[in-house]
Amino acid sequence: MELQNLNTMNLIAKALASFILLFLSILPRPSIASDLKPFYELHVSIKPEAGSADVALKLDVPVNLLMGDSLSFLFSADAQVAQLNGDHLSSYNKEEAGPGLSFYTLKFKDFPMDIVSISMKYTVTIPADHQVNRITKDWIELNIDSFWHPVLTSFSRFHYQLTTDLDKSYRILTGDDVKSIGKRTKQRVIESVIPRIDISFSASKHFYSIEGNYSSIYTTNSFTNLDSLLMFSERAISFLKGYIKRPDDFKQERIVVESPRKEVGYARENYVVLSKLNGMDSVYLSRFLAHEFAHFWFSTANSQSQDHWLNESFAEFVSMIFVREAYGEAVYEADLQNKLQRVKGDPRSLDSFRGRPSHLAMYFTGPLILHYFEEFVGKEQFQMLIQEMINQRISTTENLLVLVREQLGTAAEEKLIQLRAREFE
């Protein structure tokens, strides 16, 4: 999600991430073998002038996500909770989990064998200086960064249905389905089309837009060159379609939104949000878009574990391959040299991390490892490995090594192990 010229993490965000990792590192992990997924049903009244939202939530959670009789989630510390109950909820505890974040532990008794449910009513206010999220008259943007809704500490994907009475003069953008409820009501419903890691959407009264074959671009900035941005977007997606070779994955339009804030871009499969684009050169913008689009496939690994490099390093390296194809070997080589310089700031080997790897490890060390591995096995074999990795939804390094051994042989497996153990000094 992050690339080298964007200051995507300020000190507060880093502190918050550290707190989250600390909490998650001491938690036992639930069994998540079942295909059942949590379901969020929300009624959200957004108040742009107040910078807040009133939320009524019913959350159904499969019991296989409980640890014994307990369920835990992370939630905004700024939320004013008026109600938290459930038929089988016996008690709950709230602790501080870092700046602006709370950690809830819920205990249940005599609960059924399939699902436990909780109900919440709360008001959440988004601080005016929040790095990513906003609720203002001009711009609304919500996602996991503000923890505006509870997020299970298992970080399990879920489905949701959100009903909102946000004035229809606001256009809502998301990767999911948005529908109006009749002609006499201003209510709209957003429903997940695929399992999500959060409920992420943006809204404004004034969007400039343009549509292409694979993507649609939206911005509130009248100075953004939509034709140029669409060209870069379509070019990146067209490359990915040929490289990944999964045509059905491209039937769903990519929604690309330029946020008016300054920092942090992110992707939710078919929904991509960019920060202000002023000053980005064509190569950087191309790689940035390809990186975010690649997260359509590279987002299955646990983002709080050492396997997170499978999400970020692979998305980054695939974007580098696109740049190599689009702009040539010289540009690709320059990027490699830059990464080799940057990793000196954290020369640790990738396999030395026992939790989530550092920013430099994921965005610089990891792609360098994949570059040298591609050199070893050849471009064609590497591409076939990527395709099979996606087909099998590989989400752990252990399973990746098994796939490498089965598809490319023990020598390739040993090479990847060696590269992950290498310190780039």
Side-chain angles (χ1 to χ4, degrees), residues 211-244:
E211 295 183 9
N213 293 323
Y214 304 111
S215 58
S216 290
I217 314 295
Y218 298 87
T219 182
T220 59
N221 184 356
S222 62
F223 295 102
T224 295
N225 187 330
L226 286 173
D227 291 321
S228 177
L229 185 53
L230 180 66
M231 180 192 70
F232 289 123
S233 175
E234 295 283 294
R235 194 178 181 186
I237 297 173
S238 180
F239 165 79
L240 291 169
K241 185 177 181 180
Y243 191 82
I244 301 298

PDB file of all heavy atoms in Angstrom, residues 211-244:
ATOM      1  N   GLU A 211     -14.689   7.101 -17.132  1.00  0.00           N
ATOM      2  CA  GLU A 211     -14.785   5.643 -17.155  1.00  0.00           C
ATOM      3  C   GLU A 211     -13.918   5.065 -18.270  1.00  0.00           C
ATOM      4  O   GLU A 211     -13.806   5.648 -19.346  1.00  0.00           O
ATOM      5  CB  GLU A 211     -16.236   5.194 -17.373  1.00  0.00           C
ATOM      6  CG  GLU A 211     -17.174   5.560 -16.236  1.00  0.00           C
ATOM      7  CD  GLU A 211     -18.583   5.026 -16.468  1.00  0.00           C
ATOM      8  OE1 GLU A 211     -18.777   4.228 -17.419  1.00  0.00           O
ATOM      9  OE2 GLU A 211     -19.482   5.412 -15.694  1.00  0.00           O
ATOM     10  N   GLY A 212     -13.324   3.917 -18.001  1.00  0.00           N
ATOM     11  CA  GLY A 212     -12.549   3.193 -18.997  1.00  0.00           C
ATOM     12  C   GLY A 212     -13.074   1.784 -19.158  1.00  0.00           C
ATOM     13  O   GLY A 212     -14.173   1.455 -18.696  1.00  0.00           O
ATOM     14  N   ASN A 213     -12.296   0.926 -19.776  1.00  0.00           N
ATOM     15  CA  ASN A 213     -12.703  -0.466 -19.970  1.00  0.00           C
ATOM     16  C   ASN A 213     -12.632  -1.271 -18.680  1.00  0.00           C
ATOM     17  O   ASN A 213     -13.448  -2.172 -18.459  1.00  0.00           O
ATOM     18  CB  ASN A 213     -11.810  -1.128 -21.023  1.00  0.00           C
ATOM     19  CG  ASN A 213     -12.013  -0.534 -22.399  1.00  0.00           C
ATOM     20  OD1 ASN A 213     -13.122  -0.186 -22.778  1.00  0.00           O
ATOM     21  ND2 ASN A 213     -10.918  -0.409 -23.152  1.00  0.00           N
ATOM     22  N   TYR A 214     -11.656  -0.968 -17.828  1.00  0.00           N
ATOM     23  CA  TYR A 214     -11.443  -1.735 -16.609  1.00  0.00           C
ATOM     24  C   TYR A 214     -11.660  -0.924 -15.340  1.00  0.00           C
ATOM     25  O   TYR A 214     -11.821  -1.506 -14.265  1.00  0.00           O
ATOM     26  CB  TYR A 214     -10.008  -2.286 -16.574  1.00  0.00           C
ATOM     27  CG  TYR A 214      -9.631  -3.125 -17.759  1.00  0.00           C
ATOM     28  CD1 TYR A 214      -8.696  -2.680 -18.682  1.00  0.00           C
ATOM     29  CD2 TYR A 214     -10.197  -4.381 -17.952  1.00  0.00           C
ATOM     30  CE1 TYR A 214      -8.332  -3.457 -19.768  1.00  0.00           C
ATOM     31  CE2 TYR A 214      -9.830  -5.172 -19.039  1.00  0.00           C
ATOM     32  CZ  TYR A 214      -8.906  -4.705 -19.942  1.00  0.00           C
ATOM     33  OH  TYR A 214      -8.543  -5.476 -21.027  1.00  0.00           O
ATOM     34  N   SER A 215     -11.619   0.382 -15.428  1.00  0.00           N
ATOM     35  CA  SER A 215     -11.634   1.198 -14.221  1.00  0.00           C
ATOM     36  C   SER A 215     -12.398   2.492 -14.431  1.00  0.00           C
ATOM     37  O   SER A 215     -12.585   2.952 -15.563  1.00  0.00           O
ATOM     38  CB  SER A 215     -10.188   1.523 -13.785  1.00  0.00           C
ATOM     39  OG  SER A 215      -9.484   2.201 -14.820  1.00  0.00           O
ATOM     40  N   SER A 216     -12.850   3.055 -13.314  1.00  0.00           N
ATOM     41  CA  SER A 216     -13.449   4.389 -13.305  1.00  0.00           C
ATOM     42  C   SER A 216     -12.697   5.228 -12.285  1.00  0.00           C
ATOM     43  O   SER A 216     -12.371   4.751 -11.192  1.00  0.00           O
ATOM     44  CB  SER A 216     -14.934   4.329 -12.943  1.00  0.00           C
ATOM     45  OG  SER A 216     -15.676   3.730 -13.982  1.00  0.00           O
ATOM     46  N   ILE A 217     -12.422   6.476 -12.637  1.00  0.00           N
ATOM     47  CA  ILE A 217     -11.634   7.373 -11.805  1.00  0.00           C
ATOM     48  C   ILE A 217     -12.542   8.465 -11.249  1.00  0.00           C
ATOM     49  O   ILE A 217     -13.360   9.033 -11.984  1.00  0.00           O
ATOM     50  CB  ILE A 217     -10.494   8.026 -12.612  1.00  0.00           C
ATOM     51  CG1 ILE A 217      -9.754   6.984 -13.469  1.00  0.00           C
ATOM     52  CG2 ILE A 217      -9.547   8.770 -11.686  1.00  0.00           C
ATOM     53  CD1 ILE A 217      -9.012   5.939 -12.691  1.00  0.00           C
ATOM     54  N   TYR A 218     -12.367   8.777  -9.964  1.00  0.00           N
ATOM     55  CA  TYR A 218     -13.164   9.818  -9.313  1.00  0.00           C
ATOM     56  C   TYR A 218     -12.247  10.740  -8.521  1.00  0.00           C
ATOM     57  O   TYR A 218     -11.306  10.290  -7.861  1.00  0.00           O
ATOM     58  CB  TYR A 218     -14.186   9.202  -8.355  1.00  0.00           C
ATOM     59  CG  TYR A 218     -15.193   8.301  -9.024  1.00  0.00           C
ATOM     60  CD1 TYR A 218     -14.907   6.946  -9.229  1.00  0.00           C
ATOM     61  CD2 TYR A 218     -16.423   8.788  -9.455  1.00  0.00           C
ATOM     62  CE1 TYR A 218     -15.816   6.104  -9.856  1.00  0.00           C
ATOM     63  CE2 TYR A 218     -17.351   7.952 -10.074  1.00  0.00           C
ATOM     64  CZ  TYR A 218     -17.043   6.623 -10.272  1.00  0.00           C
ATOM     65  OH  TYR A 218     -17.949   5.801 -10.888  1.00  0.00           O
ATOM     66  N   THR A 219     -12.523  12.033  -8.586  1.00  0.00           N
ATOM     67  CA  THR A 219     -11.757  13.005  -7.818  1.00  0.00           C
ATOM     68  C   THR A 219     -12.622  14.224  -7.531  1.00  0.00           C
ATOM     69  O   THR A 219     -13.570  14.508  -8.277  1.00  0.00           O
ATOM     70  CB  THR A 219     -10.479  13.433  -8.576  1.00  0.00           C
ATOM     71  OG1 THR A 219      -9.732  14.359  -7.768  1.00  0.00           O
ATOM     72  CG2 THR A 219     -10.832  14.113  -9.900  1.00  0.00           C
ATOM     73  N   THR A 220     -12.292  14.921  -6.456  1.00  0.00           N
ATOM     74  CA  THR A 220     -12.943  16.205  -6.171  1.00  0.00           C
ATOM     75  C   THR A 220     -12.084  17.367  -6.641  1.00  0.00           C
ATOM     76  O   THR A 220     -12.476  18.524  -6.515  1.00  0.00           O
ATOM     77  CB  THR A 220     -13.200  16.347  -4.658  1.00  0.00           C
ATOM     78  OG1 THR A 220     -11.950  16.266  -3.958  1.00  0.00           O
ATOM     79  CG2 THR A 220     -14.134  15.256  -4.144  1.00  0.00           C
ATOM     80  N   ASN A 221     -10.911  17.047  -7.183  1.00  0.00           N
ATOM     81  CA  ASN A 221      -9.941  18.061  -7.595  1.00  0.00           C
ATOM     82  C   ASN A 221     -10.127  18.385  -9.082  1.00  0.00           C
ATOM     83  O   ASN A 221      -9.857  17.542  -9.949  1.00  0.00           O
ATOM     84  CB  ASN A 221      -8.528  17.554  -7.324  1.00  0.00           C
ATOM     85  CG  ASN A 221      -7.464  18.591  -7.627  1.00  0.00           C
ATOM     86  OD1 ASN A 221      -7.754  19.696  -8.119  1.00  0.00           O
ATOM     87  ND2 ASN A 221      -6.218  18.250  -7.347  1.00  0.00           N
ATOM     88  N   SER A 222     -10.545  19.583  -9.386  1.00  0.00           N
ATOM     89  CA  SER A 222     -10.794  19.965 -10.783  1.00  0.00           C
ATOM     90  C   SER A 222      -9.514  20.042 -11.602  1.00  0.00           C
ATOM     91  O   SER A 222      -9.560  20.066 -12.841  1.00  0.00           O
ATOM     92  CB  SER A 222     -11.519  21.321 -10.841  1.00  0.00           C
ATOM     93  OG  SER A 222     -10.717  22.339 -10.271  1.00  0.00           O
ATOM     94  N   PHE A 223      -8.354  20.082 -10.926  1.00  0.00           N
ATOM     95  CA  PHE A 223      -7.080  20.192 -11.638  1.00  0.00           C
ATOM     96  C   PHE A 223      -6.480  18.829 -11.992  1.00  0.00           C
ATOM     97  O   PHE A 223      -5.485  18.758 -12.711  1.00  0.00           O
ATOM     98  CB  PHE A 223      -6.075  20.988 -10.803  1.00  0.00           C
ATOM     99  CG  PHE A 223      -6.471  22.426 -10.603  1.00  0.00           C
ATOM    100  CD1 PHE A 223      -7.013  22.839  -9.406  1.00  0.00           C
ATOM    101  CD2 PHE A 223      -6.325  23.359 -11.626  1.00  0.00           C
ATOM    102  CE1 PHE A 223      -7.395  24.165  -9.212  1.00  0.00           C
ATOM    103  CE2 PHE A 223      -6.700  24.678 -11.445  1.00  0.00           C
ATOM    104  CZ  PHE A 223      -7.242  25.086 -10.239  1.00  0.00           C
ATOM    105  N   THR A 224      -7.057  17.748 -11.464  1.00  0.00           N
ATOM    106  CA  THR A 224      -6.548  16.422 -11.799  1.00  0.00           C
ATOM    107  C   THR A 224      -6.806  16.107 -13.264  1.00  0.00           C
ATOM    108  O   THR A 224      -7.918  16.304 -13.768  1.00  0.00           O
ATOM    109  CB  THR A 224      -7.218  15.353 -10.918  1.00  0.00           C
ATOM    110  OG1 THR A 224      -6.845  15.567  -9.554  1.00  0.00           O
ATOM    111  CG2 THR A 224      -6.783  13.953 -11.330  1.00  0.00           C
ATOM    112  N   ASN A 225      -5.791  15.633 -13.938  1.00  0.00           N
ATOM    113  CA  ASN A 225      -5.913  15.254 -15.350  1.00  0.00           C
ATOM    114  C   ASN A 225      -6.521  13.848 -15.408  1.00  0.00           C
ATOM    115  O   ASN A 225      -5.817  12.835 -15.340  1.00  0.00           O
ATOM    116  CB  ASN A 225      -4.549  15.281 -16.028  1.00  0.00           C
ATOM    117  CG  ASN A 225      -4.635  15.068 -17.528  1.00  0.00           C
ATOM    118  OD1 ASN A 225      -5.534  14.393 -18.021  1.00  0.00           O
ATOM    119  ND2 ASN A 225      -3.683  15.634 -18.253  1.00  0.00           N
ATOM    120  N   LEU A 226      -7.839  13.791 -15.534  1.00  0.00           N
ATOM    121  CA  LEU A 226      -8.534  12.515 -15.510  1.00  0.00           C
ATOM    122  C   LEU A 226      -8.144  11.628 -16.684  1.00  0.00           C
ATOM    123  O   LEU A 226      -8.006  10.405 -16.539  1.00  0.00           O
ATOM    124  CB  LEU A 226     -10.046  12.743 -15.497  1.00  0.00           C
ATOM    125  CG  LEU A 226     -10.640  13.233 -14.171  1.00  0.00           C
ATOM    126  CD1 LEU A 226     -12.106  13.582 -14.354  1.00  0.00           C
ATOM    127  CD2 LEU A 226     -10.476  12.183 -13.087  1.00  0.00           C
ATOM    128  N   ASP A 227      -7.985  12.205 -17.848  1.00  0.00           N
ATOM    129  CA  ASP A 227      -7.606  11.414 -19.025  1.00  0.00           C
ATOM    130  C   ASP A 227      -6.264  10.719 -18.809  1.00  0.00           C
ATOM    131  O   ASP A 227      -6.096   9.540 -19.125  1.00  0.00           O
ATOM    132  CB  ASP A 227      -7.539  12.299 -20.271  1.00  0.00           C
ATOM    133  CG  ASP A 227      -8.899  12.794 -20.722  1.00  0.00           C
ATOM    134  OD1 ASP A 227      -9.854  12.008 -20.656  1.00  0.00           O
ATOM    135  OD2 ASP A 227      -9.009  13.965 -21.118  1.00  0.00           O
ATOM    136  N   SER A 228      -5.320  11.457 -18.242  1.00  0.00           N
ATOM    137  CA  SER A 228      -4.001  10.898 -17.998  1.00  0.00           C
ATOM    138  C   SER A 228      -4.059   9.814 -16.924  1.00  0.00           C
ATOM    139  O   SER A 228      -3.469   8.733 -17.082  1.00  0.00           O
ATOM    140  CB  SER A 228      -3.037  12.013 -17.576  1.00  0.00           C
ATOM    141  OG  SER A 228      -1.767  11.490 -17.272  1.00  0.00           O
ATOM    142  N   LEU A 229      -4.786  10.089 -15.844  1.00  0.00           N
ATOM    143  CA  LEU A 229      -4.883   9.115 -14.762  1.00  0.00           C
ATOM    144  C   LEU A 229      -5.565   7.841 -15.244  1.00  0.00           C
ATOM    145  O   LEU A 229      -5.155   6.727 -14.895  1.00  0.00           O
ATOM    146  CB  LEU A 229      -5.645   9.728 -13.584  1.00  0.00           C
ATOM    147  CG  LEU A 229      -5.739   8.884 -12.312  1.00  0.00           C
ATOM    148  CD1 LEU A 229      -4.371   8.424 -11.852  1.00  0.00           C
ATOM    149  CD2 LEU A 229      -6.435   9.682 -11.209  1.00  0.00           C
ATOM    150  N   LEU A 230      -6.607   7.980 -16.052  1.00  0.00           N
ATOM    151  CA  LEU A 230      -7.276   6.807 -16.596  1.00  0.00           C
ATOM    152  C   LEU A 230      -6.336   6.014 -17.498  1.00  0.00           C
ATOM    153  O   LEU A 230      -6.327   4.772 -17.461  1.00  0.00           O
ATOM    154  CB  LEU A 230      -8.523   7.218 -17.374  1.00  0.00           C
ATOM    155  CG  LEU A 230      -9.315   6.070 -17.994  1.00  0.00           C
ATOM    156  CD1 LEU A 230      -9.921   5.186 -16.906  1.00  0.00           C
ATOM    157  CD2 LEU A 230     -10.421   6.598 -18.910  1.00  0.00           C
ATOM    158  N   MET A 231      -5.525   6.705 -18.280  1.00  0.00           N
ATOM    159  CA  MET A 231      -4.577   6.012 -19.149  1.00  0.00           C
ATOM    160  C   MET A 231      -3.620   5.156 -18.337  1.00  0.00           C
ATOM    161  O   MET A 231      -3.381   3.981 -18.650  1.00  0.00           O
ATOM    162  CB  MET A 231      -3.786   7.022 -19.984  1.00  0.00           C
ATOM    163  CG  MET A 231      -2.762   6.380 -20.920  1.00  0.00           C
ATOM    164  SD  MET A 231      -1.609   7.576 -21.640  1.00  0.00           S
ATOM    165  CE  MET A 231      -0.631   8.018 -20.190  1.00  0.00           C
ATOM    166  N   PHE A 232      -3.068   5.727 -17.262  1.00  0.00           N
ATOM    167  CA  PHE A 232      -2.147   4.968 -16.413  1.00  0.00           C
ATOM    168  C   PHE A 232      -2.860   3.798 -15.746  1.00  0.00           C
ATOM    169  O   PHE A 232      -2.307   2.700 -15.636  1.00  0.00           O
ATOM    170  CB  PHE A 232      -1.525   5.880 -15.351  1.00  0.00           C
ATOM    171  CG  PHE A 232      -0.533   6.867 -15.893  1.00  0.00           C
ATOM    172  CD1 PHE A 232      -0.703   8.223 -15.693  1.00  0.00           C
ATOM    173  CD2 PHE A 232       0.571   6.444 -16.603  1.00  0.00           C
ATOM    174  CE1 PHE A 232       0.203   9.149 -16.192  1.00  0.00           C
ATOM    175  CE2 PHE A 232       1.501   7.355 -17.107  1.00  0.00           C
ATOM    176  CZ  PHE A 232       1.310   8.707 -16.901  1.00  0.00           C
ATOM    177  N   SER A 233      -4.086   4.021 -15.306  1.00  0.00           N
ATOM    178  CA  SER A 233      -4.855   2.965 -14.652  1.00  0.00           C
ATOM    179  C   SER A 233      -5.149   1.817 -15.603  1.00  0.00           C
ATOM    180  O   SER A 233      -4.902   0.645 -15.289  1.00  0.00           O
ATOM    181  CB  SER A 233      -6.171   3.556 -14.106  1.00  0.00           C
ATOM    182  OG  SER A 233      -6.987   2.554 -13.562  1.00  0.00           O
ATOM    183  N   GLU A 234      -5.644   2.138 -16.779  1.00  0.00           N
ATOM    184  CA  GLU A 234      -5.997   1.106 -17.752  1.00  0.00           C
ATOM    185  C   GLU A 234      -4.760   0.342 -18.211  1.00  0.00           C
ATOM    186  O   GLU A 234      -4.803  -0.881 -18.411  1.00  0.00           O
ATOM    187  CB  GLU A 234      -6.686   1.759 -18.960  1.00  0.00           C
ATOM    188  CG  GLU A 234      -8.017   2.410 -18.637  1.00  0.00           C
ATOM    189  CD  GLU A 234      -9.134   1.406 -18.470  1.00  0.00           C
ATOM    190  OE1 GLU A 234      -9.499   0.748 -19.458  1.00  0.00           O
ATOM    191  OE2 GLU A 234      -9.635   1.263 -17.329  1.00  0.00           O
ATOM    192  N   ARG A 235      -3.661   1.056 -18.337  1.00  0.00           N
ATOM    193  CA  ARG A 235      -2.415   0.430 -18.780  1.00  0.00           C
ATOM    194  C   ARG A 235      -1.930  -0.597 -17.750  1.00  0.00           C
ATOM    195  O   ARG A 235      -1.521  -1.705 -18.106  1.00  0.00           O
ATOM    196  CB  ARG A 235      -1.362   1.518 -18.974  1.00  0.00           C
ATOM    197  CG  ARG A 235      -0.120   1.112 -19.745  1.00  0.00           C
ATOM    198  CD  ARG A 235       0.775   2.328 -19.887  1.00  0.00           C
ATOM    199  NE  ARG A 235       1.985   2.048 -20.634  1.00  0.00           N
ATOM    200  CZ  ARG A 235       2.970   2.921 -20.779  1.00  0.00           C
ATOM    201  NH1 ARG A 235       2.862   4.142 -20.252  1.00  0.00           N
ATOM    202  NH2 ARG A 235       4.050   2.607 -21.456  1.00  0.00           N
ATOM    203  N   ALA A 236      -2.018  -0.235 -16.473  1.00  0.00           N
ATOM    204  CA  ALA A 236      -1.576  -1.145 -15.419  1.00  0.00           C
ATOM    205  C   ALA A 236      -2.484  -2.371 -15.342  1.00  0.00           C
ATOM    206  O   ALA A 236      -2.015  -3.509 -15.226  1.00  0.00           O
ATOM    207  CB  ALA A 236      -1.554  -0.414 -14.073  1.00  0.00           C
ATOM    208  N   ILE A 237      -3.793  -2.153 -15.420  1.00  0.00           N
ATOM    209  CA  ILE A 237      -4.730  -3.270 -15.326  1.00  0.00           C
ATOM    210  C   ILE A 237      -4.591  -4.189 -16.540  1.00  0.00           C
ATOM    211  O   ILE A 237      -4.653  -5.416 -16.418  1.00  0.00           O
ATOM    212  CB  ILE A 237      -6.174  -2.757 -15.179  1.00  0.00           C
ATOM    213  CG1 ILE A 237      -6.319  -1.958 -13.877  1.00  0.00           C
ATOM    214  CG2 ILE A 237      -7.156  -3.920 -15.177  1.00  0.00           C
ATOM    215  CD1 ILE A 237      -7.662  -1.263 -13.727  1.00  0.00           C
ATOM    216  N   SER A 238      -4.400  -3.607 -17.708  1.00  0.00           N
ATOM    217  CA  SER A 238      -4.226  -4.417 -18.916  1.00  0.00           C
ATOM    218  C   SER A 238      -3.004  -5.317 -18.793  1.00  0.00           C
ATOM    219  O   SER A 238      -3.037  -6.497 -19.172  1.00  0.00           O
ATOM    220  CB  SER A 238      -4.092  -3.508 -20.140  1.00  0.00           C
ATOM    221  OG  SER A 238      -3.919  -4.266 -21.314  1.00  0.00           O
ATOM    222  N   PHE A 239      -1.906  -4.776 -18.244  1.00  0.00           N
ATOM    223  CA  PHE A 239      -0.716  -5.605 -18.024  1.00  0.00           C
ATOM    224  C   PHE A 239      -1.027  -6.743 -17.059  1.00  0.00           C
ATOM    225  O   PHE A 239      -0.671  -7.903 -17.303  1.00  0.00           O
ATOM    226  CB  PHE A 239       0.432  -4.760 -17.473  1.00  0.00           C
ATOM    227  CG  PHE A 239       1.535  -5.593 -16.891  1.00  0.00           C
ATOM    228  CD1 PHE A 239       2.466  -6.214 -17.705  1.00  0.00           C
ATOM    229  CD2 PHE A 239       1.616  -5.798 -15.513  1.00  0.00           C
ATOM    230  CE1 PHE A 239       3.471  -7.021 -17.170  1.00  0.00           C
ATOM    231  CE2 PHE A 239       2.607  -6.597 -14.962  1.00  0.00           C
ATOM    232  CZ  PHE A 239       3.541  -7.206 -15.793  1.00  0.00           C
ATOM    233  N   LEU A 240      -1.680  -6.414 -15.936  1.00  0.00           N
ATOM    234  CA  LEU A 240      -1.987  -7.430 -14.929  1.00  0.00           C
ATOM    235  C   LEU A 240      -2.891  -8.523 -15.499  1.00  0.00           C
ATOM    236  O   LEU A 240      -2.735  -9.699 -15.171  1.00  0.00           O
ATOM    237  CB  LEU A 240      -2.637  -6.783 -13.707  1.00  0.00           C
ATOM    238  CG  LEU A 240      -1.721  -5.886 -12.876  1.00  0.00           C
ATOM    239  CD1 LEU A 240      -2.526  -5.094 -11.859  1.00  0.00           C
ATOM    240  CD2 LEU A 240      -0.648  -6.713 -12.177  1.00  0.00           C
ATOM    241  N   LYS A 241      -3.808  -8.149 -16.354  1.00  0.00           N
ATOM    242  CA  LYS A 241      -4.691  -9.141 -16.970  1.00  0.00           C
ATOM    243  C   LYS A 241      -3.885 -10.144 -17.789  1.00  0.00           C
ATOM    244  O   LYS A 241      -4.152 -11.357 -17.746  1.00  0.00           O
ATOM    245  CB  LYS A 241      -5.731  -8.442 -17.853  1.00  0.00           C
ATOM    246  CG  LYS A 241      -6.761  -9.387 -18.439  1.00  0.00           C
ATOM    247  CD  LYS A 241      -7.806  -8.636 -19.255  1.00  0.00           C
ATOM    248  CE  LYS A 241      -8.855  -9.605 -19.820  1.00  0.00           C
ATOM    249  NZ  LYS A 241      -9.882  -8.903 -20.626  1.00  0.00           N
ATOM    250  N   GLY A 242      -2.892  -9.646 -18.514  1.00  0.00           N
ATOM    251  CA  GLY A 242      -2.058 -10.539 -19.305  1.00  0.00           C
ATOM    252  C   GLY A 242      -1.087 -11.345 -18.465  1.00  0.00           C
ATOM    253  O   GLY A 242      -0.773 -12.491 -18.798  1.00  0.00           O
ATOM    254  N   TYR A 243      -0.620 -10.770 -17.362  1.00  0.00           N
ATOM    255  CA  TYR A 243       0.383 -11.434 -16.527  1.00  0.00           C
ATOM    256  C   TYR A 243      -0.253 -12.482 -15.615  1.00  0.00           C
ATOM    257  O   TYR A 243       0.270 -13.586 -15.452  1.00  0.00           O
ATOM    258  CB  TYR A 243       1.137 -10.397 -15.696  1.00  0.00           C
ATOM    259  CG  TYR A 243       2.359 -10.936 -15.000  1.00  0.00           C
ATOM    260  CD1 TYR A 243       3.564 -11.071 -15.688  1.00  0.00           C
ATOM    261  CD2 TYR A 243       2.316 -11.313 -13.656  1.00  0.00           C
ATOM    262  CE1 TYR A 243       4.695 -11.575 -15.063  1.00  0.00           C
ATOM    263  CE2 TYR A 243       3.438 -11.814 -13.025  1.00  0.00           C
ATOM    264  CZ  TYR A 243       4.629 -11.944 -13.725  1.00  0.00           C
ATOM    265  OH  TYR A 243       5.745 -12.454 -13.098  1.00  0.00           O
ATOM    266  N   ILE A 244      -1.389 -12.123 -15.021  1.00  0.00           N
ATOM    267  CA  ILE A 244      -2.037 -13.018 -14.064  1.00  0.00           C
ATOM    268  C   ILE A 244      -2.820 -14.115 -14.774  1.00  0.00           C
ATOM    269  O   ILE A 244      -2.922 -15.239 -14.299  1.00  0.00           O
ATOM    270  CB  ILE A 244      -2.980 -12.215 -13.137  1.00  0.00           C
ATOM    271  CG1 ILE A 244      -2.195 -11.133 -12.382  1.00  0.00           C
ATOM    272  CG2 ILE A 244      -3.708 -13.127 -12.159  1.00  0.00           C
ATOM    273  CD1 ILE A 244      -1.111 -11.650 -11.471  1.00  0.00           C
TER     274      ILE A 244
END
